Amino acid sequence: MDILDLALRDDIDGLDSTQLAALYDYDIFTLGNAADSIRVKRYEKKVFFNMNRHINHTNICADVCKFCAFSASRKNPNPYSMSIDEVLRECSEAYDRGAKEVHIVAAHHPEHKYEFYIDMFRAVKNSIPDLHVKAMGAAEVDYLTRKFNLPLQKVLEDLANAGVDSMPGGGAEIFDESVRKKICHGKADSKRWFEVHRIWHDMGKMSNATMLFGHIEERHHRIDHMLRLRAGQTSLQRADNKQGGFNAFIPLLYQRYNNFLKAKEAPSGQEILKTLAIARILLQNIPHIKAYWASLSLNLAIVAQEFGADDMDGTIQKESIQSAGGAKSGSGVSKDEMIFQIQNAGFIPVERDSLYNELQIFEVAS
């Protein structure tokens, strides 16, 4: 039996990342059909999106990740830091425009006090209690534990008590430590990333997982990344269903401009789609594969729905991190445009909440 058949049967125990990297050798149509068979069995023609708003409250960072175009540096000489009142105002404006989720992540500000984060989330939740707060990637959480010498469990409990509902998947980058040393040395390592998510899941909370690809990593590094997530998700499952886990896997395409990472040319559209298809095939224990349009572009994210992805992320309203690196995502996309693009591609748009409960299905008019 060939390696794709084994992967489709979810029978890859004993195969390593180098062996499974051979999945990239299949032609794009074979991989696409294989991944699509999995997504159609689960979701038929549904494509999920949500009404959300990204808020990046500061770009002043204690770390220097070579791939990052967002943090203030000589490549981006425009430092800023929002007050809690400013964050709250943006949350309120987003909510008034229909957002059901705010995605709050930012740089590792060297001068913020611990109370700033707790007070910020508490202010948002007290003011708009039914707004889902997705916030604080694992690297941000790790930074707080190191800066303020606090136990990880306490920091996560404090964030949850202050109003953080779920955790994004940022900071994963590539788990291989030899690559991490070159692109984000000093940031939380892969072991720490998993430790943050494991404790969060033990608290009954959900999170996402990301992978930054298309820079200096090789194919087997991507596969290794996926296999670690696959193993991590399995270890988090419990019979009582009270434990959290990963909602979605999000392959983030590296943005080439305005940063210090001397990467090769951008991967081809075919390479990107193969990566998403392989993710769907290998990560059958993670429910959703998100084609994050702010990273991939809206058009390619739509095409990715034929290659195993089932989610587009959301309307975003404003985006600062990917757009700082050259992505055309700064102003978000309207709900009507999202629905039109999904329907025009032959899919059924489904507005979801942050935990993938279906809120409204937009059937194509007959």
Side-chain angles (χ1 to χ4, degrees):
M1 186 171 293
D2 71 14
I3 197 165
L4 179 56
D5 288 334
L6 289 172
L8 284 171
R9 290 174 53 186
D10 208 19
D11 185 21
I12 59 172
D13 290 344
L15 296 176
D16 62 25
S17 59
T18 301
Q19 291 170 303
L20 286 166
L23 288 169
Y24 278 98
D25 296 334
Y26 288 85
D27 69 82
I28 191 169
F29 300 107
T30 299
L31 276 179
N33 286 335
D36 190 55
S37 69
I38 298 171
R39 75 91 73 206
V40 168
K41 184 176 180 180
R42 295 184 180 190
Y43 308 115
E44 298 179 333
K45 300 295 286 184
K46 292 178 178 178
V47 170
F48 299 96
F49 73 95
N50 71 343
M51 296 288 289
N52 63 345
R53 168 72 153 86
H54 285 214
I55 297 175
N56 311 115
H57 55 85
T58 185
N59 67 349
I60 301 171
C61 195
D63 289 327
V64 183
C65 296
K66 289 185 178 179
F67 65 83
C68 183
F70 170 67
S71 65
S73 68
R74 65 179 183 273
K75 291 276 188 178
N76 179 16
N78 297 296
Y80 74 89
S81 187
M82 297 166 61
S83 68
I84 292 175
D85 286 343
E86 288 173 319
V87 171
L88 182 57
R89 182 165 61 249
E90 293 212 1
C91 288
S92 297
E93 291 173 357
Y95 183 73
D96 290 343
R97 293 174 59 188
K100 297 178 176 65
E101 170 194 295
V102 284
H103 181 126
I104 303 177
V105 297
H108 304 166
H109 199 299
E111 296 180 8
H112 277 338
K113 297 185 181 301
Y114 184 70
E115 290 74 22
F116 172 87
Y117 299 91
I118 306 305
D119 292 346
M120 175 173 60
F121 297 125
R122 185 173 290 121
V124 173
K125 195 54 107 175
N126 287 344
S127 178
I128 319 169
D130 59 343
L131 184 65
H132 185 101
V133 177
K134 179 192 291 182
M136 298 298 291
E140 290 179 272
V141 173
D142 172 69
Y143 177 69
L144 294 187
T145 67
R146 290 185 287 112
K147 180 176 174 57
F148 299 105
N149 194 27
L150 293 170
L152 178 53
Q153 181 85 36
K154 173 177 171 49
V155 171
L156 290 172
E157 288 177 353
D158 286 350
L159 291 171
N161 290 333
V164 175
D165 297 300
S166 66
M167 185 181 293
E173 321 314 355
I174 284 286
F175 289 141
D176 182 88
E177 292 301 337
S178 65
V179 177
R180 293 183 79 84
K181 187 174 182 179
K182 295 176 183 177
I183 69 172
C184 56
H185 184 62
K187 200 174 193 176
D189 63 16
S190 57
K191 182 179 178 181
R192 185 64 163 178
W193 188 94
F194 275 102
E195 185 181 8
V196 172
H197 284 266
R198 178 187 60 77
I199 293 175
W200 187 248
H201 296 161
D202 280 345
M203 292 164 56
K205 301 289 189 176
M206 302 299 295
S207 66
N208 290 333
T210 62
M211 176 182 73
L212 184 70
F213 75 104
H215 44 89
I216 64 171
E217 91 292 348
E218 298 178 12
R219 287 171 167 178
H220 70 91
H221 293 132
R222 300 176 204 160
I223 300 295
D224 170 69
H225 191 100
M226 296 177 200
L227 292 180
R228 295 195 203 193
L229 288 171
R230 171 189 167 95
Q233 180 80 329
T234 299
S235 69
L236 294 168
Q237 293 171 344
R238 255 184 6 192
D240 60 14
N241 293 321
K242 292 182 180 179
Q243 192 158 0
F246 297 118
N247 268 323
F249 175 59
I250 311 163
L252 299 172
L253 181 62
Y254 163 68
Q255 305 300 314
R256 300 172 58 206
Y257 300 105
N258 305 323
N259 63 70
F260 296 98
L261 186 62
K262 293 184 170 79
K264 303 173 184 176
E265 65 276 1
S268 67
Q270 183 170 153
E271 184 78 3
I272 293 167
L273 292 173
K274 281 188 175 186
T275 299
L276 274 103
I278 291 169
R280 178 67 290 167
I281 293 166
L282 294 183
L283 295 176
Q284 295 186 39
N285 62 346
I286 294 181
H288 300 279
I289 302 295
K290 181 183 293 188
Y292 183 46
W293 73 264
S295 166
L296 300 176
S297 81
L298 189 58
N299 289 341
L300 190 57
I302 289 287
V303 175
Q305 308 304 307
E306 300 277 7
F307 288 81
D310 61 271
D311 185 74
M312 296 282 292
D313 193 76
T315 52
I316 295 178
Q317 295 187 12
K318 181 180 179 181
E319 196 281 327
S320 300
I321 295 177
Q322 301 296 321
S323 57
K328 309 300 182 184
S329 54
S331 299
V333 64
S334 71
K335 180 177 180 178
D336 287 345
E337 178 69 9
M338 180 72 77
I339 291 169
F340 169 77
Q341 292 289 348
I342 294 171
Q343 288 181 333
N344 193 52
F347 292 98
I348 299 172
V350 179
E351 183 184 351
R352 60 168 176 84
D353 67 11
S354 301
L355 302 179
Y356 285 88
N357 297 301
E358 296 182 10
L359 302 178
Q360 187 173 359
I361 300 174
F362 299 87
E363 299 282 1
V364 179
S366 57

